[in-house]
Amino acid sequence: MIRTINIKEEVLITMQIVGDLSFAWQLIDSFTSIMQESIRVNPSMVTKLRATFLKLASALDLPLLRINQANSPDLLSVSQYYSGELVSYVRKVLQIIPESMFTSLLKIIKLQTHDIMEVPTRLDKDKLRDYAQLGPRYEVPESSRFCFQCLKPKPWNIPGLWLLAHPRDQRPP
């Protein structure tokens, strides 16, 4: 197909350079707060961000390919460096999950200890409405929604990176 269209080798190289995402390491950091806010609003967004992290992992391919083509002994150290950078960035983005979970849990604790009154064992029918406290009792499951949604995702296997979605998950052998 390339010969049919008569695309020169130089154009193909230019397209490969433009399609490369290695420049994104400098730009992606500006989107961290946007990603974190979208996770805070909708925890299922984590699964959608997986594609972004996969693209970042693919950004490692071109520099490592060039080093491998040069038969450089630095391939392993450079690979470990880039993998470490990717892991630290993913951790930075996903750090919002435990922060939000503990914020939700703190809100639940405050509701249960300060706002919601204990219901006595014997209660007059007239006072039942006072002890119902429907507003604060509704906020408890609403606040715990974030925690339950964060426990749903499965572990991801991104080349050079393994994320555990739940502590019971095991690392692959």
Side-chain angles (χ1 to χ4, degrees), residues 58-135:
S58 73
L60 305 176
D61 291 343
L62 189 63
L64 295 177
L65 176 70
R66 297 294 179 228
I67 291 172
N68 192 25
Q69 287 174 344
N71 292 325
S72 174
D74 297 329
L75 179 64
L76 183 62
S77 62
V78 171
S79 174
Q80 288 175 345
Y81 171 76
Y82 278 121
S83 295
E85 289 293 315
L86 179 62
V87 167
S88 65
Y89 181 72
V90 170
R91 282 182 181 160
K92 184 172 150 182
V93 171
L94 297 181
Q95 179 60 32
I96 195 68
I97 294 172
E99 287 177 10
S100 297
M101 285 181 74
F102 284 114
T103 303
S104 300
L105 291 174
L106 181 64
K107 185 176 179 183
I108 292 169
I109 290 169
K110 284 182 180 178
L111 284 169
Q112 289 181 338
T113 56
H114 299 294
D115 296 345
I116 298 175
M117 296 183 298
E118 284 191 39
V119 180
T121 53
R122 292 195 171 260
L123 185 64
D124 291 336
K125 198 169 43 170
D126 302 337
K127 295 183 181 179
L128 187 60
R129 184 172 299 265
D130 297 335
Y131 280 97
Q133 297 176 312
L134 298 178

Side-chain angles (χ1 to χ4, degrees), residues 147-164:
C147 299
F148 287 119
Q149 285 183 345
C150 285
L151 294 175
K152 283 183 185 178
K154 300 284 185 231
W156 302 349
N157 188 5
I158 296 176
L161 180 66
W162 180 259
L163 295 175
L164 299 177

Side-chain angles (χ1 to χ4, degrees), residues 26-45:
Q26 297 165 355
L27 297 175
I28 198 72
D29 205 30
S30 62
F31 292 101
T32 303
S33 60
I34 297 169
M35 289 184 220
Q36 288 180 336
E37 187 58 33
S38 65
I39 292 171
R40 185 187 324 259
V41 171
N42 183 9
S44 64
M45 184 61 106

